[in-house]
Amino acid sequence: MSLPPELRVLCFKLSSTAPSDLPRLTPTLLRHVSCCQAPLSSPAGNATQADASASSVLVHKLKTQLSTLLNGKSPEGRFAAVVLIKAVVEVGGWEILHGVESWVRGLLSILGKPDAAAVKELCVMTLTKIYSMTQQYQTLIREITTPTLPTFVTSCLNLISTPSKKVSRGPTSLEEAVFQSFAMLVPRHTAIFRPFVSQIRVAIRPFLAPTSSDTFFTSSSLRDSARRLAVILHQTAAKNTSGEEWGKAVRGLIKDIHTTADHVFRAVVEDWESSAGYIGEAVDVNQELHGGSATSEDLPLWIGIHAGVERLTGRLELLAEYLKVETAAPVAVPLGSIMDMATRMLSIAIPSPSSSAAKSEARLHPAIDRDERDGLWVGMPQIYVAALQLVDAISIRLEDNFLPLAQESFDQLAWVFKYGKHSPEFRLIAYVVTAKILFYVGQSFNQLQCDKLTGIYQACCQDLQEAHPNFIDIAAVDDAGSKPQGNYNAEAFLRSRVTVPTEHRIADPALNDAARDLLPLFLSHLPQQYLKLATRSLVDRTSILTHNKDAMLASVLNPMFANNGAALPSILPHLSREFGHDAIVEILLRPRMPLVPSTATRTIANEAVGEESEDEDMELNPESTSIPNNNTSTPTPIHQDPFAVVPQPGFGSATEIPQHTLLHHSTFGTDSSSGAIPSMNGNFLGAKESSGVSQPHYDQADDPMAQDSDDSDDESVHLTMQLDSESEDGAE
């Protein structure tokens, strides 16, 4: 093992550079560390005698320099030491891990010093990496993790629970780093974290479902990390009770969602009735809308309809997180209560702008002012999205067991789609859920259920056309309501009205991808006889104009028939023109092209098959060993009927079996001496001229036509099997 020069350069720069200048050299130093994996991860005994002493001296020098910087008085030096220690541990592995106890204690001391938040965040990440890598070594767990991990948890909780910092500046990335660290370490060391569960719950509670009523802003990444940690904490329960703790938390969260919905939905008189036995609480409509802080374990206070909508959606997203995160033991999911609650969230109808209060589909409470009602209508799409995301999480977790819930979910989605389709976020999750529903139960839909998809497929085609750069407007969707007149042909798919655009929309790649994935399912997972002609034409036209190969393939493979039973023209020409180079399209265009080997290949194959067949004949028919197996023996009587099959004893030689093709009499006739037959390349060959190719078992010395076999092989390559029967008649 040669000693890398980067190790010498690394030690030289750490010793010759002032600590205050090390932060700007940190990227270069990290590159040097990554090149020193061999000396850092290999024991000194594995190196050659010449390099052993030099390598061990340099590695020891590097460790000493990092320890000096870590325990030094320079904040810049401590910053560089923390970064380099993490890199050295990752590169060195066991050889570095068994000696990091002093580094761990130095890193823990930095968490209590008045260093910058970035340095402390790096300390948390470095310690988390060390604790994770020691998990596979029981000796290191006893020597390093068990003695120091409680101190680490206490220091982190002290960092994120300082009241003055939260009030003045709000949460920082340090909280996110701590939550992610705890989420990684809790499943590995549940017993150590068990005494700190109550403190951790208090620390993460403000970030689980933040609202605009809070005095600080919570980023989405911090919120997600806090929710994941809240779900993982159930694993700290006593032995064999983590599953019960998980179920208890889920049922309590469902009840909290209903309680929040009682306040948020007080502006309407709900028609929903719980099938799980929930009875709503009475809400005082004369007081200002508020909620939360009912108990010490409740989430913070929220005030106003907008904050209430945010709290409700936050709780729904937290419930979806319970279904996404893995559990330590089998759990019982209360699907009935969850689906009952989701049905309630999707049962509030948003009145259209043109409808008056008297004609609104939702019954309004007369004691609630208009401002609160308008705030509810604005926030309902967010509630729809959160409820559908919960249904999507259920489908992902249950997989095939989602089948019994698919029909109920489809009915709710089809009903609520017209109220939330103006929201791109709603359409995105609606397309995702619809695709999964069609995958499971789409083939069993009846006429009424297919008609419920009208709004969904129209919106899907509209989103695809708007996102495509070649489109000026979405007038093609307007043609869906009119029945095509006259003859129906494939070119009619491309005819659409082009108008001046009335508005410009920002394309969402995720929405476009979801719509592209859903479009083929309208053709492949729905009974096509229940689709209207306008529906099929819109989907086909959109697939052609947006170059959606999967949708075009689904259209070709699932043809549609008119009322008179005639099949409508296929869009296969468009598919072959657009994706002619694709292998799947090539297979679709040429499904049964036979493999015709060359003369040399056919001769070798026939000889090999002939030898195997002779051995099998010897075993199966011992009395027939006297039958000569050559081409000069008495030929097998040729049957005049081209449809007859020659009986063979056992498995005869391949050269003795004439390869007959079932020919129709109206095509070639029964007279083998008829005129020439045109070949595939346009030349005309006589029947006798092609017989030399189709009868390779005749001796070339006796066969006057054998001399032309090589010349006619390429010309009659596609007619070889078809002319066998006629060639035998000509040979007579």
Side-chain angles (χ1 to χ4, degrees):
M1 178 188 67
S2 60
L3 192 63
E6 288 83 2
L7 184 57
R8 298 182 184 274
V9 175
L10 180 62
C11 295
F12 174 76
K13 287 186 177 181
L14 288 177
S15 60
S16 62
T17 305
S20 58
D21 296 334
L22 286 176
R24 64 182 179 85
L25 295 178
T26 301
T28 304
L29 298 178
L30 287 176
R31 287 196 297 269
H32 293 336
V33 171
S34 63
C35 298
C36 300
Q37 182 177 6
L40 291 176
S41 60
S42 300
N46 292 346
T48 60
Q49 187 175 3
D51 295 334
S53 59
S55 176
S56 59
V57 168
L58 289 177
V59 171
H60 182 268
K61 183 178 180 181
L62 176 61
K63 294 180 180 180
T64 304
Q65 290 173 337
L66 293 179
S67 300
T68 303
L69 292 174
L70 184 64
N71 299 319
K73 297 182 179 181
S74 173
E76 295 85 358
R78 291 196 293 268
F79 171 82
V82 172
V83 176
L84 293 177
I85 285 174
K86 183 176 183 296
V88 169
V89 169
E90 292 176 344
V91 172
W94 161 259
E95 293 300 322
I96 301 297
L97 277 176
H98 71 272
V100 298
E101 184 176 359
S102 60
W103 286 352
V104 170
R105 299 192 184 279
L107 292 170
L108 291 175
S109 65
I110 292 180
L111 295 178
K113 295 179 180 180
D115 284 8
V119 178
K120 296 182 179 181
E121 183 177 348
L122 289 173
C123 285
V124 172
M125 298 171 61
T126 304
L127 288 169
T128 304
K129 186 65 178 179
I130 293 175
Y131 292 141
S132 300
M133 294 181 66
T134 58
Q135 178 65 26
Q136 55 182 332
Y137 306 109
Q138 294 298 325
T139 303
L140 298 182
I141 292 178
R142 292 193 304 267
E143 296 177 355
I144 299 175
T145 305
T146 304
T148 61
L149 186 55
T151 306
F152 170 72
V153 177
T154 303
S155 301
C156 291
L157 292 176
N158 292 334
L159 286 176
I160 63 178
S161 61
T162 304
S164 59
K165 180 180 69 64
K166 287 187 176 180
V167 174
S168 60
R169 295 181 299 172
T172 61
S173 58
L174 179 59
E175 283 83 354
E176 182 179 352
V178 171
F179 294 159
Q180 291 177 352
S181 173
F182 286 179
M184 184 179 296
L185 297 177
V186 164
R188 296 178 172 90
H189 308 282
T190 56
I192 296 177
F193 277 89
R194 188 173 298 131
F196 303 97
V197 170
S198 59
Q199 301 179 46
I200 295 175
R201 293 189 188 277
V202 173
I204 65 177
R205 188 172 297 147
F207 312 114
L208 296 178
T211 66
S212 56
S213 299
D214 300 332
T215 58
F216 53 85
F217 171 76
T218 304
S219 63
S220 59
S221 58
L222 175 59
R223 179 191 59 202
D224 295 340
S225 60
R227 290 172 179 172
R228 180 175 178 83
L229 177 57
V231 177
I232 291 178
L233 285 179
H234 79 275
Q235 300 184 18
T236 60
K239 187 177 181 180
N240 299 329
T241 61
S242 60
E244 298 177 2
E245 187 71 18
W246 186 91
K248 180 181 178 181
V250 169
R251 288 188 293 269
L253 182 56
I254 294 174
K255 183 179 179 181
D256 293 339
I257 293 174
H258 280 300
T259 303
T260 306
D262 292 338
H263 292 80
V264 175
F265 294 159
R266 71 175 190 172
V268 297
V269 179
E270 299 182 69
D271 296 329
W272 168 82
E273 294 182 0
S274 176
S275 60
Y278 174 78
I279 301 177
E281 300 179 358
V283 180
D284 189 358
V285 297
N286 298 321
Q287 293 183 357
E288 183 182 14
L289 183 61
H290 68 281
S293 297
T295 62
S296 59
E297 298 181 356
D298 201 357
L299 298 183
L301 178 68
W302 59 269
I303 301 174
I305 182 62
H306 299 291
V309 170
E310 293 172 346
R311 177 58 53 81
L312 182 58
T313 56
R315 289 186 182 275
L316 288 170
E317 292 170 354
L318 178 59
L319 180 58
E321 192 71 18
Y322 269 92
L323 298 173
K324 296 177 182 178
V325 177
E326 61 278 359
T327 60
V331 296
V333 183
L335 289 177
S337 300
I338 294 176
M339 295 303 298
D340 178 65
M341 181 268 301
T343 302
R344 182 185 184 184
M345 301 298 109
L346 299 174
S347 63
I348 304 297
I350 302 176
S352 60
S354 59
S355 63
S356 60
K359 298 181 180 180
S360 176
E361 296 188 16
R363 294 188 298 167
L364 306 180
H365 198 291
I368 305 301
D369 58 5
R370 184 172 182 176
D371 293 338
E372 183 176 333
R373 291 201 302 267
D374 292 343
L376 177 61
W377 306 144
V378 171
M380 281 308 301
Q382 304 176 29
I383 300 176
Y384 294 157
V385 170
L388 291 178
Q389 287 176 346
L390 176 61
V391 175
D392 182 54
I394 294 175
S395 66
I396 295 175
R397 177 57 63 188
L398 298 182
E399 296 181 350
D400 293 341
N401 295 321
F402 179 71
L403 182 63
L405 305 176
Q407 185 60 56
E408 177 185 355
S409 302
F410 171 74
D411 293 337
Q412 283 297 135
L413 174 59
W415 182 85
V416 80
F417 186 82
K418 61 181 179 180
Y419 301 112
K421 63 181 181 181
H422 61 278
S423 172
E425 294 81 5
F426 174 82
R427 295 200 304 274
L428 170 61
I429 187 60
Y431 295 159
V432 173
V433 175
T434 302
K436 294 181 179 180
I437 292 174
L438 293 182
F439 177 78
Y440 287 112
V441 296
Q443 294 288 357
S444 63
F445 277 10
N446 53 28
Q447 181 69 58
L448 180 61
Q449 292 169 328
C450 291
D451 292 341
K452 292 181 180 180
L453 288 168
T454 301
I456 298 178
Y457 77 73
Q458 286 182 351
C460 178
C461 295
Q462 179 176 350
D463 286 329
L464 287 174
Q465 293 179 3
E466 286 181 349
H468 201 275
N470 295 335
F471 275 84
I472 297 179
D473 197 24
I474 186 60
V477 179
D478 298 336
D479 297 336
S482 59
K483 185 176 180 180
Q485 302 293 333
N487 295 332
Y488 189 83
N489 53 64
E491 295 295 335
F493 294 125
L494 299 176
R495 300 173 186 170
S496 61
R497 297 174 296 174
V498 178
T499 59
V500 179
T502 57
E503 60 179 354
H504 299 280
R505 299 186 181 181
I506 300 176
D508 185 3
L511 178 62
N512 186 33
D513 293 342
R516 286 185 64 87
D517 294 340
L518 176 61
L519 188 65
L521 298 181
F522 289 132
L523 303 173
S524 61
H525 287 73
L526 282 176
Q528 296 302 296
Q529 66 270 20
Y530 295 142
L531 294 184
K532 297 179 181 179
L533 189 60
T535 302
R536 179 61 182 261
S537 64
L538 174 61
V539 175
D540 285 346
R541 182 166 56 244
T542 303
S543 64
I544 294 173
L545 296 176
T546 57
H547 311 289
N548 192 329
K549 187 189 74 172
D550 294 335
M552 297 174 72
L553 280 172
S555 177
V556 173
L557 297 176
N558 298 272
M560 187 175 183
F561 297 89
N563 295 331
N564 57 2
L568 300 180
S570 173
I571 64 172
L572 183 59
H574 298 284
L575 177 63
S576 59
R577 181 170 59 247
E578 184 69 25
F579 303 99
H581 62 281
D582 189 81
I584 298 178
V585 178
E586 183 72 14
I587 295 173
L588 185 65
L589 291 175
R590 299 168 179 83
R592 289 186 300 272
M593 291 297 291
L595 178 63
V596 181
S598 62
T599 305
T601 305
R602 182 165 54 246
T603 304
I604 295 174
N606 289 341
E607 292 177 356
V609 174
E611 294 176 359
E612 296 178 359
S613 301
E614 289 181 11
D615 296 339
E616 294 175 355
D617 286 341
M618 295 286 291
E619 296 176 359
L620 296 176
N621 302 282
E623 295 89 358
S624 61
T625 55
S626 60
I627 299 177
N629 189 17
N630 52 52
N631 296 330
T632 59
S633 60
T634 304
T636 304
I638 299 178
H639 295 262
Q640 298 298 331
D641 187 2
F643 296 96
V645 179
V646 180
Q648 298 292 334
F651 295 91
S653 175
T655 58
E656 298 177 355
I657 303 177
Q659 300 179 356
H660 293 285
T661 302
L662 300 183
L663 304 177
H664 199 277
H665 292 280
S666 61
T667 303
F668 294 104
T670 57
D671 187 5
S672 61
S673 62
S674 59
I677 300 174
S679 64
M680 297 295 291
N681 57 10
N683 297 328
F684 292 85
L685 303 175
K688 294 183 179 181
E689 190 178 17
S690 63
S691 62
V693 178
S694 55
Q695 298 182 17
H697 55 276
Y698 287 137
D699 193 351
Q700 294 185 0
D702 299 334
D703 190 353
M705 294 179 290
Q707 59 184 356
D708 297 331
S709 61
D710 295 337
D711 297 334
S712 62
D713 181 78
D714 294 336
E715 295 177 345
S716 61
V717 65
H718 295 288
L719 301 176
T720 300
M721 299 179 65
Q722 297 178 350
L723 298 179
D724 280 345
S725 60
E726 300 179 8
S727 301
E728 293 175 357
D729 296 339
E732 290 180 350

